[in-house]
Amino acid sequence: MSPRESTDWLLSGVEINTDVERDTDICDQDPDSVKRKEVEERLLWKLDLRLLFLILGQIMSQVDKGNIAAARLKGLEEDLHLTGQQFNTLISIMYVGSTLTQVPSNVFLDRLRRPSVYLSYCVLLGGIISISIGLYYHAVLVSRFFLGFTQATYYPGALFILSRWYKRDELGLRMACFGFGYYFSSLLGPLIASVILATMDGKLGYSGWRWLFLVEGGLTCLVAAAGAYMIPDFPTTPVPWLTQEEQILAQRRMVEDFGGIKQGTQKSGLVEAFTDWTVWWFAIARSMATVGESFANFLPTLAATIGYGPSITLLLCAPPWIFAAATTYYVSRHSDATRDRFWHIAVVLCGGITGFTLGILTMNPALRYLSLFLMTQTHVPHNIFTAWMSNSIPEPSKRAVAIAFVNTCSTGIANAGASYLWPASWGPSYSKSFMSCILACTTCILMLWIYHSHLIRLNKKAEMDERALGLPKGFRFIT
């Protein structure tokens, strides 16, 4: 069996275009050759431009999901006659919908040649649902469920697509850049909401919060319409925006990056993912981190405890997310450069724990606002988590299921439960909520330390085996 045949399984069973190979010897050149580097630089440049559009889609998806927190400040609870935990249920139900979608969506997406069309269609449906959100509690409840159901496909699907194009030492930074969509939505969402709520209230007989859903849902539909042309497909799908050299190099880069992995008996990606204890372990650890991040859905409520009106409160929500975005870029880039994941996650989670502790200890407006900057650090390692998991699973079908499953457990199940950790009766201090976040983040760090130690043992075993058999250095897990 040739080296090529033994590694083509990494491309999910899709044959490399041999006609293209006859026209170019780019894949047979040394990775350090000048010609190959030039082609690779052009390839990465084109991919990074497509990544910008993926970020835009993520921004609009997150804005649609998070605008209900801003609407709460301008009469949504009063107009819908919400009582008790009904507002928390409106937040939670969206994650119930997303829980049902993510794994089957990524399994389906892995079998498509044009995942760009599928993801665009799902985002379009989400925008339409946001526009048509109801005017009474149960109608809004149903709309939020289907909003989560449709838009949950985008995040794990986009992450899986990125993992099919970028090498392991490139992926962390790109996933972090994709994660910027969350920060930009957290920044732009309140700014857009403050303008709409202040200027559109009462126009054409609609309240300001109703205009908020109409305008932002309409923008999402516009972005989705362009998605079929801008979202990248898989490296094995011919596309007009890549040359033949770039297309075949994109395929070979993935084979080379996971060189040294033995091809075992091929099973279903579902079976392989669900029978791997590390996938379950990672899902629980990520869910604990998500509980620590749950304050984000209530950030406008926490900012309101500082004592300003709705418009100023929404504006105050922006700077903490700008700080978190800057930290994410630096930490993710450093994580890729040092090929370290655990310590980069643990350190920033400790920053979040410091913020929660400060929130417990004081109601001083200045210190309370400072605590928000530290709390947002819990979101920094979100995409480092995903990059770490993707780095550890070379087989694409299994990786697609694992990404979706971990995301289902964290952004779906964990978020649905964590929404009830912030009842209004625990305000304005929310000390009990902060304590829950501290416990969750601490548990996450301990679980990841165990996973980190497990990977170190596997790397040492691989090194010993290579020395005993006289083999060259092969695959190593990033720890």
Side-chain angles (χ1 to χ4, degrees):
M1 180 182 292
S2 70
R4 166 158 312 207
E5 291 170 339
S6 67
T7 52
D8 277 352
W9 65 280
L10 291 171
L11 296 175
S12 272
V14 180
E15 292 295 329
I16 293 178
N17 187 336
T18 54
D19 290 335
V20 174
E21 265 188 295
R22 294 190 189 102
D23 294 333
T24 178
D25 61 351
I26 191 67
C27 297
D28 298 325
Q29 294 185 2
D30 186 278
D32 294 325
S33 69
V34 175
K35 182 178 180 181
R36 170 158 171 165
K37 283 186 175 181
E38 290 176 354
V39 176
E40 196 163 19
E41 285 178 3
R42 292 201 308 268
L43 171 64
L44 289 175
W45 171 249
K46 291 179 180 180
L47 287 174
D48 289 342
L49 289 178
R50 301 277 161 169
L51 174 60
L52 292 177
F53 186 85
L54 285 174
I55 295 172
L56 180 59
Q58 172 72 346
I59 290 173
M60 297 315 304
S61 177
Q62 291 296 328
V63 165
D64 283 342
K65 290 189 283 189
N67 52 18
I68 195 169
R72 186 186 193 185
L73 299 177
K74 200 67 175 180
L76 178 136
E77 284 185 298
E78 293 78 7
D79 290 351
L80 299 182
H81 307 292
L82 303 184
T83 58
Q85 296 272 38
Q86 286 184 326
F87 178 78
N88 301 73
T89 302
L90 289 179
I91 290 179
S92 177
I93 195 65
M94 184 187 69
Y95 299 114
V96 174
S98 69
T99 298
L100 302 174
T101 312
Q102 297 185 52
V103 171
S105 174
N106 257 26
V107 172
F108 177 65
L109 182 143
D110 183 42
R111 299 172 183 271
L112 297 176
R113 289 181 61 81
R114 293 290 311 278
S116 56
V117 176
Y118 169 68
L119 291 182
S120 300
Y121 180 69
C122 291
V123 173
L124 177 64
L125 285 179
I128 294 172
I129 290 170
S130 183
I131 290 173
S132 58
I133 197 165
L135 295 175
Y136 56 95
Y137 172 67
H138 289 96
V140 176
L141 193 68
V142 172
S143 296
R144 292 281 295 175
F145 172 82
F146 282 106
L147 180 66
F149 189 85
T150 56
Q151 294 208 348
T153 61
Y154 186 79
Y155 183 78
L159 290 180
F160 177 59
I161 289 174
L162 291 178
S163 75
R164 294 288 299 272
W165 286 97
Y166 289 104
K167 295 167 64 175
R168 291 187 299 153
D169 58 357
E170 301 165 348
L171 190 59
L173 178 60
R174 268 65 179 201
M175 284 190 171
C177 289
F178 178 67
F180 283 170
Y182 180 87
Y183 298 119
F184 288 139
S185 70
S186 300
L187 168 63
L188 295 176
L191 296 177
I192 295 173
S194 65
V195 174
I196 294 174
L197 294 176
T199 60
M200 299 298 291
D201 191 29
K203 301 289 185 181
L204 301 178
Y206 291 115
S207 56
W209 66 265
R210 185 74 180 90
W211 277 110
L212 184 63
F213 290 107
L214 288 170
V215 173
E216 292 181 345
L219 291 175
T220 299
C221 291
L222 292 177
V223 171
Y229 305 98
M230 294 300 297
I231 295 176
D233 294 308
F234 296 134
T236 48
T237 303
V239 290
W241 49 275
L242 289 180
T243 66
Q244 290 183 332
E245 279 188 330
E246 293 161 353
Q247 184 97 41
I248 195 64
L249 179 59
Q251 298 172 28
R252 295 307 304 171
R253 275 165 34 95
M254 295 297 96
V255 173
E256 294 167 357
D257 193 41
F258 287 101
I261 293 290
K262 295 180 180 179
Q263 178 183 2
T265 302
Q266 289 297 288
K267 302 178 183 177
S268 157
L270 276 170
V271 173
E272 291 210 349
F274 288 136
T275 55
D276 186 346
W277 73 268
T278 63
V279 173
W280 290 88
W281 189 264
F282 216 93
I284 297 171
R286 184 69 197 93
S287 297
M288 291 296 102
T290 299
V291 173
E293 299 166 6
S294 61
F295 75 93
N297 286 322
F298 301 89
L299 189 63
T301 302
L302 295 175
T305 62
I306 297 174
Y308 293 97
S311 296
I312 299 298
T313 294
L314 289 171
L315 293 175
L316 288 175
C317 292
W321 292 118
I322 296 176
F323 179 61
T327 307
T328 297
Y329 178 79
Y330 173 77
V331 171
S332 299
R333 188 169 184 175
H334 193 263
S335 175
D336 275 353
T338 58
R339 296 176 68 85
D340 172 88
R341 302 300 189 207
F342 170 71
W343 290 109
H344 287 78
I345 294 173
V347 169
V348 290
L349 284 182
C350 287
I353 291 173
T354 303
F356 296 133
T357 304
L358 191 59
I360 293 172
L361 296 176
T362 182
M363 287 296 292
N364 176 274
L367 293 177
R368 191 78 167 181
Y369 191 49
L370 174 62
S371 73
L372 299 183
F373 281 80
L374 295 174
M375 290 177 202
T376 56
Q377 297 306 291
T378 58
H379 280 264
V380 169
H382 185 99
N383 291 286
I384 301 178
F385 268 100
T386 309
W388 195 7
M389 181 178 59
S390 297
N391 296 156
S392 304
I393 303 176
E395 206 283 309
S397 295
K398 178 182 176 182
R399 191 191 317 147
V401 175
I403 290 174
F405 176 66
V406 171
N407 207 54
T408 294
C409 292
S410 57
T411 63
I413 298 172
N415 257 326
S419 300
Y420 293 98
L421 292 177
W422 301 87
S425 59
W426 287 4
S429 66
Y430 291 98
S431 296
K432 295 179 182 178
S433 306
F434 292 143
M435 283 295 296
S436 301
C437 292
I438 291 173
L439 178 61
C441 288
T442 303
T443 303
C444 174
I445 292 172
L446 291 175
M447 292 187 70
L448 290 181
W449 179 78
I450 294 173
Y451 181 69
H452 167 74
S453 302
H454 169 68
L455 294 184
I456 289 177
R457 286 194 296 270
L458 291 180
N459 284 343
K460 288 181 178 178
K461 183 179 183 301
E463 184 176 357
M464 293 174 60
D465 290 345
E466 288 166 359
R467 287 179 178 177
L469 298 174
L471 299 174
K473 182 176 180 180
F475 177 84
R476 293 291 187 274
F477 290 101
I478 294 178
T479 60

